[in-house]
Amino acid sequence: MQALWMLLASAMFAVMGTFVKLAGEHGASLPQVVLFRGLPSVFLLLAWARWAGHPILPKQWRPHLWRNLAGVSSMWLGFIAISSLPLSTATSLNYTAPLFIAGWMLGWGGTGRDGWRIAAVIIGFLGVLTVLRPSVTGDQWLPALLGLCAGALSAVAMMQIRELGRLGEAEWRTVLFFSVAVCLSSAVGVALVGWGNPDTLGIVSLVGVGLSGMVGQLAMTRAFGLGSALLTAALQYTTIIFAALMGAWVWHDMPDMLAWIGMLCIIAAGLLSIWRTMRETREAVRRAARQATSAAKP
């Protein structure tokens, strides 16, 4: 059941990316797309929290501030990349967050010259170059770089989410305040660039962005709450595969063999980084348990 929830989430995120691209092609502005991404989650989570009697305000605001700053910026840059690049290429770049986390751990995380992370960074870097070489033309390099920046900022957001988890913050409250921040950022965007004028398909696509994004978020949260976190993290990379299939179906953007190899390298690098991080976490827990047992002995 855990695998099915994560596969559902991955498919919904690929569908969301498809609707993001379609909305932009049919007259919707980027602030409109961002607004529709966050609004359904705000209404749903607020209604559920009030019905369940849960307190809405967090105990600490600063971790939420940094998580939302990184996460909202990543979303905007990722949507720009999706609007300008083939869907499979943009999705691959957006999923480079574990690669950036591995690089950060090597440089500043105090792990030393970890061979597994070095391998992950090298494989991931080669994968990015391979994806970009056949897929990006001269006028698409800026969106491609923004897609990479989205992956880097997503890595920052992931680390902040882990910090919020250590502080005991409920997952639903983290998602709620992120969605609120998304909606507020869209209001700023509307003030700067104006309200778009989408046609009928554009309006349908905006609704699709909100619904598919909300279902994907809920399914992913459910999946991470069940069973192996490593399995869930591994299955989230099927979003790249689903995105490639959606791009081929809607826009006939079938990646060539070299692009597929690049995407597989990014997936392999991400899985290697995730596996290494989780293995270190388990080892740290075991060491702490052994030390506690030794300290308890007379």
Side-chain angles (χ1 to χ4, degrees):
M1 184 59 71
Q2 173 198 9
L4 294 178
W5 280 114
M6 194 60 235
L7 287 174
L8 173 62
S10 297
M12 286 297 99
F13 286 136
V15 170
M16 183 190 73
T18 303
F19 280 129
V20 168
K21 198 170 181 68
L22 283 172
E25 292 176 350
H26 289 269
S29 67
L30 187 58
Q32 282 179 309
V33 175
V34 172
L35 176 64
F36 275 80
R37 172 62 180 91
L39 208 55
S41 297
V42 172
F43 285 129
L44 176 69
L45 290 171
L46 278 177
W48 175 81
R50 293 298 299 272
W51 174 78
H54 293 300
I56 294 175
L57 296 180
K59 296 179 181 179
Q60 298 188 52
W61 285 96
R62 181 173 293 181
H64 282 282
L65 176 63
W66 289 113
R67 181 267 184 273
N68 292 338
L69 182 62
V72 171
S73 300
S74 174
M75 175 178 289
W76 277 83
L77 296 179
F79 282 1
I80 292 173
I82 288 173
S83 300
S84 307
L85 299 172
L87 185 60
S88 59
T89 302
T91 304
S92 299
L93 296 177
N94 289 344
Y95 273 74
T96 54
L99 172 62
F100 285 103
I101 292 176
W104 180 86
M105 292 295 290
L106 282 175
W108 299 277
T111 57
R113 296 180 62 84
D114 186 306
W116 291 107
R117 286 201 175 92
I118 292 174
V121 171
I122 293 173
I123 294 170
F125 179 70
L126 292 175
V128 169
L129 291 180
T130 307
V131 165
L132 292 179
R133 193 203 65 80
S135 305
V136 177
T137 58
D139 60 343
Q140 293 178 326
W141 278 102
L142 179 58
L145 291 175
L146 294 179
L148 273 177
C149 290
L153 288 169
S154 178
V156 176
M158 284 181 178
M159 289 188 284
Q160 291 299 317
I161 290 172
R162 289 183 63 186
E163 181 63 23
L164 284 165
R166 292 192 189 100
L167 295 173
E169 186 64 279
E171 292 178 350
W172 68 266
R173 194 179 290 113
T174 299
V175 175
L176 171 61
F177 279 93
F178 171 70
S179 301
V180 170
V182 167
C183 293
L184 291 176
S185 73
S186 71
V188 175
V190 168
L192 292 175
V193 305
W195 190 255
N197 187 28
D199 58 21
T200 301
L201 183 54
I203 294 172
V204 171
S205 298
L206 287 173
V207 174
V209 168
L211 293 179
S212 58
M214 181 180 65
V215 173
Q217 190 74 49
L218 292 173
M220 184 175 68
T221 302
R222 178 66 174 169
F224 272 101
L226 299 171
S228 168
L230 179 60
L231 173 62
T232 303
L235 288 175
Q236 72 178 340
Y237 277 94
T238 57
T239 303
I240 296 176
I241 309 300
F242 285 127
L245 296 176
M246 293 296 295
W249 178 44
V250 179
W251 292 279
H252 307 291
D253 289 332
M254 176 59 74
D256 61 15
M257 182 58 67
L258 200 56
W260 279 112
I261 292 173
M263 286 187 279
L264 291 175
C265 285
I266 291 173
I267 292 171
L271 295 180
L272 188 58
S273 174
I274 292 168
W275 169 79
R276 182 56 180 158
T277 300
M278 291 186 173
R279 183 177 178 182
E280 283 185 345
T281 302
R282 286 197 299 268
E283 290 172 352
V285 171
R286 288 170 184 164
R287 284 196 300 269
R290 286 195 296 268
Q291 290 173 358
T293 302
S294 300
K297 291 181 180 179

